[in-house]
Amino acid sequence: MASEPRQILVTSALPYVNGHIHLGHLVEYLQTDIWVRFQRLRGNDVRFFCADDTHGTATMIRARDEGIEPDVLLAQMSEAHQEDFRAFGVEFDHFGSTHAESNRDLVNEIWAALRAGGHVVERDVTQLFDPEAGVFLADRFVKGECPRCGKDDQYGDNCDNCGATYTPDELGNPKSTLSGSTPENRTAKHLFVRLSDFQDFLDDWTQSDDHVQPEIANWLKGSFLSEPLRDWDISRPAPYFGFEIPDAPGHYFYVWVDAPIGYISATKDWCDEVGESLDHWWRNPDCEIHHFIGKDIAYFHTLFWPAMLQSAGFELPRKVHIHGFLTVNGEKMSKSKGTFINARVYREHLSPDFLRYFYASKLSSAVQDIDLNLEEFTAKVNSDLVGKVVNLASRTARFVEGKALAPYPDDGGLFEAGDAAGEEIAADYEACDYSKAIRTVMALADKANEYVEAKAPWVLRKDPDKADELLEVCTVSLNLFRQITVYLAPVLPGLAQKASALLNAETPRWEDAATPLVGNTVAKFEHLMRRVDPARVEAIVEASQE
């Protein structure tokens, strides 16, 4: 008996409004979109939310430099971000903004709960101030030497080299990234949340029920939870672009307070549009909440965020899925080498489907970096998608255009083997082990191509007496093609739709992989996918070089 559909709310980390979407960002959004599409194919009730992360000094400085109001900048960047997401097939139920009034209301609600719980303390803080720019410096506007490992050129909140977290005033030889000047110390009042009040709760939540991957649970236990948690500085003095703290005029919520609350406000805005209840999604223990984020913001999502949710009576995430970074050709993305590639530049030259497939073939459930080796990218897409998957249709469909598929013949157990692999493939998608799922699907494609090669329909079509056999061979090949495209539908939804159209079938569902099509009329074969031209890859690199 089929199980009841699951109710699932999914989020990706919010892109910062101060920059365009690049291929590193897309690791996460494509990982999330694939998971969401898989859940929908399985018949689950899924909603996918995101928003622009808008607040902070960077937005204020950029708007000032461009001579526009911050609201204008926010609108421009929201449109640009959403255009990139649409181009890569990332489909949100709602894409909001942390500057929305709904977010202000929710921030104030959670703040009131923290206040009422006695979790807020106030004290003076000596902070780095840029005398040339005239602003207190946010963590990301200070660079210097890591206080733990000594690595230079590290931001003021955490070290890319050793993973340490710290405050900007702990950096050695700090410099303002705004003006290049040496910042000076100035003292101002700050408000803190006592995270130690939530120590036992956070220790239990992070170490139980698979809420985070084992390596993240171990990292949290060894790095933070082994000693009393430090108070969390949640305010910034003016000037600052953000929400003013209602009971502390002249002070603003730090961007990391209102950014994750944007997940809830995006849901709220969607609920208001469609007439649903926010509590049905955020205060409902039957609703699974899944966050997809990068390892650089794991600290905020596994300590600060659960504490905020718990204090205000919202449901906690069922799982925080954490991924690694992207390297290109084995190195950090580089503007000088042309490997810091914006989404827009990529899509001017190549199909986004190629990147969706390549990332899926690399992503696992582990917190591992993935490498976009451009030669491997070209070879893998051409070999797997064009040479194996599309090949099954392109070598047979033209021979039976306008004809009805035959009653499904004996195929030596190929379709049955594909059906038997369905639950293993589904389990791998569920676990975010996409690379494993892809390997299993490609093994099915290899077997299917061996069948076509052995039957040689291009030879059969020359013999009028072999017309029935030709139809049977093409029926097998096209059904195996469709089965494979159903399994690839979370990654390549467009190809799955084209396969359905070719065979005059319904919009694909996961269960369609279990039953071959019989009697469907084969439509006129249309070109399904072009090969990756290495010259186009090179053009992307050239266009990205500074």
Side-chain angles (χ1 to χ4, degrees):
M1 195 171 85
S3 58
E4 283 292 309
R6 293 153 60 192
Q7 182 188 350
I8 308 174
L9 186 150
V10 183
T11 73
S12 292
L14 312 187
Y16 195 43
V17 77
N18 211 33
H20 287 283
I21 303 301
H22 57 64
L23 298 199
H25 293 134
L26 283 169
V27 170
E28 177 171 311
Y29 300 108
L30 295 180
Q31 180 190 40
T32 318
D33 185 76
I34 289 167
W35 199 79
V36 167
R37 287 179 183 275
F38 164 72
Q39 298 298 346
R40 288 190 173 133
L41 277 169
R42 297 283 279 183
N44 292 319
D45 183 18
V46 190
R47 297 293 179 271
F48 182 15
F49 298 110
C50 197
D52 268 335
D53 180 9
T54 60
H55 291 153
T57 309
T59 308
M60 180 176 71
I61 297 292
R62 181 176 164 189
R64 181 197 299 171
D65 288 348
E66 294 185 13
I68 57 177
E69 289 298 315
D71 285 354
V72 175
L73 175 63
L74 268 49
Q76 290 172 350
M77 292 304 295
S78 177
E79 186 177 336
H81 285 170
Q82 291 186 70
E83 187 181 331
D84 283 336
F85 289 137
R86 280 191 296 270
F88 281 84
V90 180
E91 294 184 356
F92 303 108
D93 287 275
H94 185 84
F95 188 86
S97 166
T98 60
H99 198 53
E101 282 305 306
S102 56
N103 204 42
R104 186 194 299 271
D105 292 342
L106 284 157
V107 169
N108 289 347
E109 178 184 337
I110 291 174
W111 176 244
L114 288 165
R115 279 281 204 195
H119 304 303
V120 179
V121 293
E122 181 182 308
R123 60 174 177 265
D124 286 340
V125 169
T126 300
Q127 193 177 0
L128 296 179
F129 184 86
D130 184 329
E132 287 188 31
V135 293
F136 283 97
L137 291 170
D139 304 345
R140 306 302 281 178
F141 287 102
V142 189
K143 277 191 168 183
E145 296 167 4
C146 170
R148 182 195 284 177
C149 71
K151 179 77 171 174
D152 195 18
D153 202 35
Q154 298 304 305
Y155 284 110
D157 55 355
N158 66 73
C159 177
D160 285 342
N161 186 54
C162 73
T165 59
Y166 40 76
T167 57
D169 60 346
E170 294 177 88
L171 284 172
N173 298 317
K175 295 288 182 189
S176 166
T177 63
L178 295 178
S179 66
S181 65
T182 300
E184 60 187 41
N185 288 322
R186 292 198 185 177
T187 300
K189 181 180 80 171
H190 280 239
L191 297 164
F192 291 78
V193 170
R194 276 202 305 252
L195 274 185
S196 55
D197 292 355
F198 300 90
Q199 185 105 20
D200 291 343
F201 152 69
L202 290 170
D203 189 51
D204 178 64
W205 185 81
T206 59
Q207 304 302 309
S208 66
D209 297 328
D210 197 31
H211 291 131
V212 296
Q213 291 114 306
E215 57 264 55
I216 296 295
N218 294 337
W219 171 68
L220 290 168
K221 189 72 171 174
S223 300
F224 304 106
L225 293 164
S226 59
E227 56 190 37
L229 288 167
R230 295 199 300 190
D231 293 349
W232 176 32
D233 185 350
I234 60 83
S235 75
R236 296 294 183 268
Y240 191 80
F241 179 64
F243 293 144
E244 193 169 24
I245 299 175
D247 52 9
H251 296 267
Y252 291 78
F253 286 112
Y254 173 44
V255 63
W256 267 108
V257 175
D258 61 67
I261 298 173
Y263 300 142
I264 308 179
S265 68
T267 313
K268 171 81 165 59
D269 292 340
W270 173 79
C271 286
D272 290 345
E273 285 174 13
V274 301
E276 290 233 15
S277 159
L278 181 66
D279 285 354
H280 179 64
W281 293 94
W282 280 96
R283 286 192 168 101
N284 177 5
D286 293 330
C287 178
E288 301 176 29
I289 296 168
H290 291 257
H291 297 308
F292 285 76
I293 60 163
K295 62 183 180 182
D296 54 327
I297 55 174
Y299 179 69
F300 298 102
H301 280 80
T302 56
L303 297 177
F304 301 164
W305 180 228
M308 286 198 284
L309 291 170
Q310 200 245 15
S311 70
F314 289 102
E315 281 298 313
L316 296 162
R318 184 72 55 91
K319 177 97 178 186
V320 181
H321 306 261
I322 299 166
H323 61 82
F325 296 141
L326 178 74
T327 56
V328 181
N329 293 336
E331 300 176 336
K332 275 181 81 169
M333 295 196 302
S334 162
K335 291 182 179 179
S336 63
K337 293 181 179 178
T339 57
F340 190 98
I341 300 167
N342 278 336
R344 183 158 305 190
V345 172
Y346 172 96
R347 63 185 172 88
E348 285 172 355
H349 296 86
L350 285 176
S351 166
D353 281 352
F354 299 157
L355 197 71
R356 288 182 68 100
Y357 178 76
F358 187 81
Y359 281 178
S361 76
K362 294 292 182 181
L363 281 162
S364 74
S365 59
V367 190
Q368 293 174 334
D369 295 350
I370 69 169
D371 185 49
L372 172 59
N373 179 286
L374 295 174
E375 284 189 11
E376 182 192 8
F377 164 79
T378 302
K380 182 181 279 290
V381 170
N382 289 342
S383 170
D384 289 4
L385 295 186
V386 181
K388 295 180 182 180
V389 178
V390 169
N391 197 46
L392 292 169
S394 62
R395 298 179 94 189
T396 55
R398 292 186 180 90
F399 304 153
V400 289
E401 285 178 359
K403 295 182 180 177
L405 294 173
Y408 200 74
D410 178 16
D411 66 358
L414 290 173
F415 195 93
E416 188 179 343
D419 175 28
E423 284 309 302
E424 177 191 344
I425 295 166
D428 290 335
Y429 274 125
E430 177 71 44
C432 294
D433 264 325
Y434 304 160
S435 57
K436 193 161 171 250
I438 294 294
R439 286 196 299 275
T440 303
V441 174
M442 284 304 135
L444 297 176
D446 284 336
K447 294 289 185 186
N449 277 288
E450 288 172 12
Y451 170 88
V452 174
E453 196 66 34
K455 295 293 185 181
W458 47 91
V459 175
L460 295 175
R461 72 183 290 258
K462 296 175 183 176
D463 185 348
D465 294 336
K466 303 276 188 173
D468 289 347
E469 187 181 347
L470 174 65
L471 180 60
E472 287 187 350
V473 169
C474 293
T475 294
V476 170
S477 179
L478 291 171
N479 266 294
L480 295 176
F481 168 66
R482 180 168 183 263
Q483 185 182 57
I484 286 165
T485 60
V486 169
Y487 289 148
L488 289 176
V491 181
L492 300 169
L495 183 62
Q497 290 286 4
K498 287 178 180 178
S500 294
L502 176 65
L503 301 176
N504 279 297
E506 304 269 324
T507 298
R509 301 163 302 165
W510 191 263
E511 57 263 35
D512 293 338
T515 310
L517 295 170
V518 174
N520 292 49
T521 302
V522 180
K524 180 175 171 54
F525 181 77
E526 303 285 351
H527 191 79
L528 294 171
M529 189 173 284
R530 298 190 184 283
R531 296 174 65 83
V532 177
D533 182 350
R536 288 183 175 270
V537 177
E538 187 56 42
I540 291 171
V541 173
E542 288 176 7
S544 302
Q545 270 180 328
E546 286 187 5

